[in-house]
């Protein structure tokens, strides 16, 4: 081949000619190459198989370290049971009630009409000529499409999101915070809040050994945080919410956790979930101010998870954004504390989990770091543009003078009123059961009751290498079809046990769930303990009562 090309170069020809090479040759120059169909296959011993490149031994150890209880073993088992029911296999129940996850539409909640109208118009602009859609929906859809490439929702947006939607979010925040200004250039659309949280944590994690980034998270926590920390090899710093005080956040506990962590890592990040998941508390303005002052003093980057900001049910509670409180603390704080807050389409009154829409507002980030953030976001191109459109409707709903306003207000109020009613029912029923204790569900979408588990049941769980509340929840699923998440998946004080359940099922289904849960719990106590149960103190007692 080399000789043939040499002849071609010296032949004086002006047009390239490919020399003829016989298919079979007796002399092989260099390594022999084959097409896929011609390559010989080395004979293997019967019964042997080719070794896999990716095995549990070669798997990234950080992936193995990730745990996500909300879709963990209990939920997988619930899916198996559900399939067996569909196949006609007899169970002690006729359906699986999935109370494990905050998926509102899966629990029967109806979509908000106006949101679906705007997204439908964006997806199929031919509907803009239809008289079936109101003018205010058409106006919003047209405005969004004009900012999309080719006026199509199917085009990529800028990595930060569609400009007009970013502007609408900034206007919403300014109105929500009673005039505290929001710069639309600080707004980044995300694939749900989870995407934004992960992106910011990626920026923050650095260092080795004792200088490795430490991330302070509440316990109980939403498992996204512990999973992200494991994946990024950061150091998890637990601070415990005060169960005896309605899951309040105590700054003295923050200080304790911070000082202890400094011995083995560098605490740099403080994560707050308000309203709380899984605990359902709503933090007071004074508490938020104390937390921000602590972050200022210790030079911590604050991540405020505020996806449940519309889900406040207790009449004596009010949502206060971290940004607004920071602004009220004065310029010294507002111009220096690094704060990112997150919101989502998945919660609130819309419950549009599947659109994967969300945003984050970034304050006081170093401009050079901001450029790195934009670069990193560019790698994933852009969030789903349909999710961005859904987010726009949440921050830019119908106004009083518009045709869709009355229906929108009625649907929104109906959802939130029903959730408030179900929060009250859940708390009351759970607290009526011996061996269960539930704090008020002030907000969000979950109850997180403490459950008494008799010592014999604890011992049985330990013999099975299983957390006691995992045994409890597994038995609950197998005997009643109710799927809830063990408290051990969220974190809890040693010696206490909990489970998380949503308040999203319809009122009828929720009452059925609570009645079955009550009957199961009493049977469980009778099976494992003849003694009268007593609730452990979550604040001071590290062991369960006899």
């Amino acid at each position: 081949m080399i000789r043939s090309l040499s002849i071609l170069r010296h032949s004086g020809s002006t047009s390239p000619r490919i020399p003829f090479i016989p298919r079979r040759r007796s002399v092989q120059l260099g390594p022999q190459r084959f097409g896929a169909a011609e390559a010989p296959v080395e004979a293997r011993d019967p019964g042997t198989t080719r070794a896999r490149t990716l095995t549990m031994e070669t798997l990234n150890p950080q992936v193995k370290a990730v745990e996500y209880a909300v879709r963990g073993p209990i939920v997988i088992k619930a899916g198996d049971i559900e399939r067996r029911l569909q196949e006609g296999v007899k169970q002690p129940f006729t359906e699986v009630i999935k109370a494990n996850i905050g998926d509102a539409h899966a629990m029967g909640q109806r979509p908000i009409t106006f949101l679906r109208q705007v997204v439908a118009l964006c997806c199929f602009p031919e509907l803009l000529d239809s008289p079936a859609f109101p003018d205010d929906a058409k106006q919003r859809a047209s405005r969004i499409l004009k900012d999309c490439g080719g006026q199509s929702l199917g085009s990529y947006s800028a990595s930060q999101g569609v400009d007009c939607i970013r502007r609408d979010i900034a206007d919403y925040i300014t109105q929500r915070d009673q005039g505290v200004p929001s710069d639309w250039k600080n707004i980044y659309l995300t694939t749900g809040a989870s995407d934004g949280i992960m992106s910011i944590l990626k920026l923050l994690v650095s260092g080795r050994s004792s200088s490795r980034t430490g991330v302070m998270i509440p316990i109980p926590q939403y498992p996204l945080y512990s999973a992200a920390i494991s994946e990024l090899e950061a150091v998890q710093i637990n601070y415990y919410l005060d169960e005896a005080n309605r899951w309040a956040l105590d700054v003295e506990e923050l200080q304790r956790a911070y000082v202890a962590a400094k011995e083995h890592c560098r605490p740099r990040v403080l994560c707050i979930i308000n309203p709380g998941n899984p605990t359902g508390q709503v933090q007071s303005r004074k508490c938020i101010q104390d937390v921000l002052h602590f972050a200022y003093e210790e030079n911590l980057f604050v991540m405020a998870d505020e996806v449940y900001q519309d889900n406040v049910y207790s009449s004596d509670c009010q949502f206060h954004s971290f940004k607004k409180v920071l602004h009220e603390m004065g310029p010294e704080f507002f111009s220096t504390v690094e704060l990112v807050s997150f919101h989502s389409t998945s919660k609130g009154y819309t419950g549009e989990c599947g659109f994967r829409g969300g945003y984050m507002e970034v304050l006081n980030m170093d401009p050079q770091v901001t450029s790195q953030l934009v670069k990193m976001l560019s790698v994933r191109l852009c969030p789903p543009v349909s999710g961005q459109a859904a987010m726009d409707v949440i921050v830019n709903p119908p106004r009083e003078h518009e045709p869709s306003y009355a229906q929108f207000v009625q649907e929104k109020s109906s959802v939130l009123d029903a959730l408030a009613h179900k929060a009250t029912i859940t708390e009351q029923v759970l607290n009526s059961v011996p061996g269960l204790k539930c704090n008020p569900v002030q907000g969000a979408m979950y109850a997180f009751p403490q459950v008494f588990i008799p010592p014999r049941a604890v011992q049985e769980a330990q013999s099975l290498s299983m957390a006691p509340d995992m045994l409890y929840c597994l038995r609950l699923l197998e005997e009643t079809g109710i799927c809830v998440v063990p408290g051990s998946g969220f974190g809890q004080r040693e010696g206490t046990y909990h489970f998380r359940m949503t308040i999203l099922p319809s009122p009828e289904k929720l009452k059925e769930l609570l009645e079955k849960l009550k009957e199961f719990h009493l049977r469980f106590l009778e099976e494992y303990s003849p003694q009268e149960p007593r609730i452990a103190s979550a604040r001071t007692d590290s062991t369960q009562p006899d």
Side-chain angles (χ1 to χ4, degrees):
M1 179 70 173
I2 295 172
R3 180 172 177 270
S4 300
L5 290 174
S6 177
I7 292 170
L8 187 61
R9 279 198 299 270
H10 295 287
S11 66
S13 172
T14 58
S15 59
R17 291 181 299 153
I18 300 175
F20 172 75
I21 300 175
R23 189 174 182 82
R24 297 179 183 273
R25 301 184 62 164
S26 58
V27 178
Q28 175 70 33
L29 299 177
Q32 188 175 10
R33 301 182 184 276
F34 297 93
E38 298 173 324
V41 178
E42 184 178 344
R44 298 183 185 275
D45 294 334
T48 64
T49 58
R50 177 183 174 276
R52 288 188 172 90
T53 299
L54 182 60
T55 66
M56 288 302 293
E57 287 69 35
T58 61
L59 180 68
N60 182 340
Q62 266 44 70
V63 173
K64 286 191 276 189
V66 169
E67 294 185 4
Y68 188 64
V70 174
R71 296 198 176 191
I74 291 281
V75 182
I76 294 171
K77 178 141 185 106
D80 292 338
I81 293 174
E82 202 167 33
R83 282 188 290 274
R84 290 201 295 271
L85 279 171
Q86 292 169 355
E87 294 166 357
V89 178
K90 292 292 184 182
Q91 300 287 345
F93 42 85
T94 59
E95 66 173 332
V96 173
I97 303 176
K98 293 181 179 177
N100 62 292
I101 194 167
D103 190 350
H105 291 196
M107 292 286 100
Q109 180 178 310
R110 303 300 302 165
I112 298 296
T113 302
F114 187 72
L115 186 148
R116 288 296 181 91
Q117 286 174 332
V118 174
V119 175
L121 289 163
C122 288
C123 289
F124 194 59
E126 286 80 356
L127 294 173
L128 288 165
D129 297 325
S130 170
F133 290 80
D135 288 341
D136 47 356
K138 291 178 180 180
Q139 290 165 0
R140 281 164 176 74
S142 297
R143 179 168 172 268
I144 292 169
L145 288 171
K146 285 178 181 177
D147 254 20
C148 294
Q151 298 194 19
S152 171
L153 216 63
S155 62
Y156 290 127
S157 75
S159 297
Q160 300 96 317
V162 176
D163 279 357
C164 71
I165 298 176
R166 296 170 70 197
R167 292 177 186 273
D168 286 345
I169 292 170
D171 290 343
Y172 160 80
I173 293 171
T174 300
Q175 182 180 14
R176 180 200 68 188
D177 293 342
Q178 298 175 318
V180 178
S182 177
D183 185 346
W184 71 273
K185 294 177 182 177
N186 292 333
I187 305 298
Y188 299 82
L189 276 298
T190 57
T191 307
S194 303
D195 171 52
I197 290 166
M198 193 69 180
S199 295
I200 296 300
L201 284 174
K202 284 179 181 178
L203 295 178
L204 286 158
V205 176
S206 64
R208 296 178 179 273
S209 188
S210 60
S211 66
R212 191 66 171 168
T213 296
V215 182
M216 302 183 70
I217 63 172
I219 298 297
Q221 53 102 22
Y222 178 49
L224 162 69
Y225 291 93
S226 55
I229 290 167
S230 295
E231 184 178 343
L232 297 172
E233 295 186 82
V235 179
Q236 179 173 319
I237 305 171
N238 296 339
Y239 66 87
Y240 290 87
L241 302 177
D242 185 0
E243 184 172 10
N245 191 23
R246 298 187 174 189
W247 298 113
L249 198 167
D250 183 1
V251 174
E252 289 184 6
E253 169 61 14
L254 285 179
Q255 189 68 44
R256 177 207 63 78
Y258 176 83
V259 171
K262 287 179 69 175
E263 297 180 3
H264 59 272
C265 71
R266 183 184 172 193
R268 298 178 65 203
V269 190
L270 174 58
C271 300
I272 314 287
I273 308 173
N274 181 52
N277 176 10
T279 44
Q281 87 286 4
V282 179
Q283 302 294 359
S284 68
R285 184 192 179 281
K286 175 65 165 59
C287 173
I288 294 172
Q289 183 175 322
D290 290 344
V291 169
L292 287 169
H293 192 274
F294 170 78
Y296 172 82
E297 292 293 333
E298 304 300 348
N299 200 28
L300 294 172
F301 191 108
V302 180
M303 298 176 62
D305 184 338
E306 298 176 336
V307 301
Y308 296 101
Q309 58 189 261
D310 286 313
N311 300 104
V312 177
Y313 313 125
S314 295
S315 58
D316 57 345
C317 293
Q318 180 182 348
F319 171 76
H320 301 276
S321 78
F322 269 69
K323 181 188 175 184
K324 181 173 183 288
V325 175
L326 186 64
H327 183 267
E328 292 167 347
M329 291 170 68
E332 182 179 353
F333 294 91
F334 189 63
S335 62
T336 58
V337 174
E338 296 155 283
L339 168 67
V340 179
S341 55
F342 306 90
H343 197 12
S344 168
T345 63
S346 301
K347 309 305 176 186
Y349 56 90
T350 59
E352 293 283 8
C353 302
F355 276 119
R356 308 307 301 133
Y359 74 78
M360 57 185 178
E361 183 182 27
V362 180
L363 296 183
N364 298 322
M365 181 174 280
D366 182 297
Q368 291 182 308
V369 175
T370 300
S371 297
Q372 295 297 310
L373 171 61
V374 173
K375 178 188 73 175
M376 189 173 65
L377 295 177
S378 299
V379 173
R380 56 95 158 113
L381 298 177
C382 70
V385 184
S386 56
Q388 296 186 51
M391 191 76 246
D392 187 72
V393 179
I394 292 172
V395 300
N396 186 23
R399 305 292 195 267
E400 280 191 57
H401 63 278
E402 293 181 315
S404 299
Y405 179 77
Q407 182 180 10
F408 170 79
V409 169
Q410 186 275 323
E411 291 177 349
K412 176 182 177 180
S413 299
S414 176
V415 170
L416 293 176
D417 289 349
L419 286 170
H421 177 62
K422 290 185 287 187
T424 301
I425 290 174
T426 301
E427 176 197 345
Q428 290 175 347
V429 173
L430 291 175
N431 283 327
S432 73
V433 182
L436 293 179
K437 182 178 180 182
C438 183
N439 270 314
V441 183
Q442 298 173 333
M445 297 177 171
Y446 315 97
F448 195 68
Q450 184 182 153
V451 54
F452 172 80
I453 298 182
R456 284 204 304 120
V458 173
Q459 293 168 4
E460 180 176 322
Q462 291 170 344
S463 70
L464 298 170
S465 300
M466 185 183 295
D469 48 16
M470 173 68 83
L471 173 67
Y472 181 92
C473 293
L474 188 61
R475 287 281 303 272
L476 175 66
L477 173 64
E478 293 174 338
E479 295 180 26
T480 69
I482 296 171
C483 180
V484 297
V485 188
S488 50
F490 301 89
Q492 54 198 352
R493 284 193 179 273
E494 184 178 353
T496 67
Y497 308 108
H498 302 77
F499 61 83
R500 189 191 81 164
M501 59 168 283
T502 74
I503 61 170
L504 290 174
S506 67
E508 298 75 25
K509 188 66 65 178
L510 182 62
K511 289 176 183 177
E512 177 188 348
L513 183 159
L514 291 169
E515 185 60 34
K516 286 185 175 182
L517 172 61
K518 177 179 179 179
E519 294 171 357
F520 163 81
H521 182 75
L522 295 176
R523 290 197 308 269
F524 188 87
L525 291 183
E526 185 176 0
E527 177 180 351
Y528 285 102
S529 175
Q531 301 177 1
E532 185 71 15
R534 298 197 308 275
I535 287 292
S537 169
R539 186 175 177 83
T540 59
D541 206 350
S542 61
T543 58
Q544 286 215 118
D546 294 334

